[in-house]
Each structure stands twice: as C-alpha cells, then as structure tokens.
C-alpha cells in the first residue's frame, strides 16, 4: 500500500525538478527572443572628424538591425519623394530595417539632427530622411566620392560608418 504513495511522491518530485530546470533555462533564451522581436529604436545620430576618417554613429535602443549603405544620385525624403536640401555631389543612403524613430504611442524618440550641414574633410551633411513602415533612413552628403566601411558596436548599441580620407593630422 505504501509503494503507490511513494511512486506518486517520486513522480511529483521529478516533475517539480524538471519544471524548475526548464524555468531556470527559459528566461535567458526568452529574454533574447523578446529583445529581438521588439523593433529597435533609433535615438540619435552624431559625427566626428579624425586624422584619417570621418565617422557617423547611429545610436539605438535594443539591437542593431540589418543596415544597408547605398550610393545614390540624390537624397529624397521617404514617403514624399521630395529632395533633401543638402549640398554635395555624392550621397550615401543609410537604411536600417526593422527600426523606428518613434515609440508605439507614435511619439518621437529620435533626438538627433534632422538636417545638418557639416564641415569635415569628407562629410558635408547628414539628414534623417525617413521613419516609415519599419525603415529608418539617413542621407549623407559628400563633395568627393566616399570610400567607407561599416561596423557595429555594442554596450550601447550603435551602427558606425567610417569615411576614409588622407591623413590631415
């Protein structure tokens, strides 16, 4: 008579241990999945001049989504197609997707410049050209053909675009 009771206790204890083990392992993977399912927010864009390169940094909350950098003949605002008033002969379009510069309530979270003339060796201007349907787009203007490289930095999350130029230091 005692054996069925003992078996039930062993079964309950085993189930409890398995459940506890799963619960301990779930939060890490669940947190990663949850962080990746939330749309990253673009909160700032900044730039700086260095001896051999100019740098554009786009700051994000969440993670850095896939980014495409494309040479274009002109910069236009997403949605309207209106030209972006940045002087230059060469332009790069920087497109982040999925991303947003606004929160779920529709409030702007982007605190950086919307249209900025810049006086660096290569970089002559930067503009936020779109925050539309999961895409955030920037345009960068140059007087000469840009040679560039990209990278992603963490803690905090940011996308980096370096534009090479001859040593000016």
């Amino acid at each position: 008579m005692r054996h069925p009771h003992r078996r039930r206790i062993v079964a309950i204890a085993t189930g409890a241990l398995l459940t506890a083990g799963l619960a301990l392992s779930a939060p890490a993977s669940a947190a990663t999945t949850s962080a990746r399912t939330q749309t990253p927010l673009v909160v700032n864009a900044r730039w700086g001049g260095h001896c051999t390169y100019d740098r554009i940094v786009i700051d994000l909350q969440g993670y850095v989504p896939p980014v495409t950098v494309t040479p274009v003949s002109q910069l236009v605002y997403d949605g309207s197609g209106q030209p972006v008033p940045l002087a230059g002969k060469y332009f790069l379009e920087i497109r982040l997707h999925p991303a947003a510069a606004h929160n779920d309530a529709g409030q702007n979270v982007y605190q950086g410049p919307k249209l900025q003339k810049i006086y660096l060796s290569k970089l002559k201007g930067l503009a936020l050209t779109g925050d539309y349907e999961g895409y955030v787009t920037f345009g960068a203007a140059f007087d000469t053909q840009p040679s560039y490289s990209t990278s992603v930095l963490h803690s905090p999350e940011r996308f980096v675009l370096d534009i090479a130029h001859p040593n000016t230091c």
Side-chain angles (χ1 to χ4, degrees):
M1 208 79 183
R2 266 193 159 255
H3 287 325
H5 182 67
R6 189 177 291 166
R7 283 186 195 153
R8 188 175 332 150
I9 291 174
V10 169
I12 291 171
T14 303
L17 288 173
L18 285 172
T19 302
L22 290 175
L24 290 175
S25 67
S29 62
T32 302
T33 302
S34 171
R36 287 289 183 168
T37 58
Q38 296 227 349
T39 302
L41 298 176
V42 176
V43 296
N44 194 24
R46 51 198 165 94
W47 58 90
H50 302 277
C51 283
T52 59
Y53 63 95
D54 294 342
R55 174 172 279 184
I56 297 171
V57 178
I58 299 173
D59 298 313
L60 294 112
Q61 286 180 359
Y63 63 95
V64 178
V67 180
T68 57
V69 179
T70 308
V72 294
S73 59
Q74 72 171 5
L75 297 174
V76 296
Y77 288 107
D78 292 353
S80 73
Q82 294 295 314
V84 176
L86 280 180
K89 295 179 183 173
Y90 300 91
F91 305 98
L92 292 177
E93 180 184 79
I94 306 159
R95 186 170 288 236
L96 298 89
H97 175 70
H102 62 278
N103 61 21
D104 289 340
Q107 299 167 324
N108 222 0
V109 296
Y110 178 73
Q111 300 299 311
K114 305 245 182 186
L115 180 67
Q116 183 70 48
K117 190 170 187 175
I118 301 170
Y119 301 96
L120 294 176
S121 293
K122 286 285 187 177
L123 182 62
K124 301 304 177 187
L126 183 67
L128 174 67
T129 60
D131 174 20
Y132 185 68
E133 294 188 353
Y135 290 87
V136 174
T137 311
F138 290 89
F142 307 89
D143 286 340
T144 59
Q145 181 106 22
S147 173
Y148 60 91
S149 62
T150 64
S151 58
V152 172
L153 300 175
H154 304 285
S155 296
E157 299 299 304
R158 55 214 186 274
F159 171 77
V160 177
L161 176 71
D162 288 332
I163 304 98
H165 60 74
N167 189 344
T168 57
C169 294

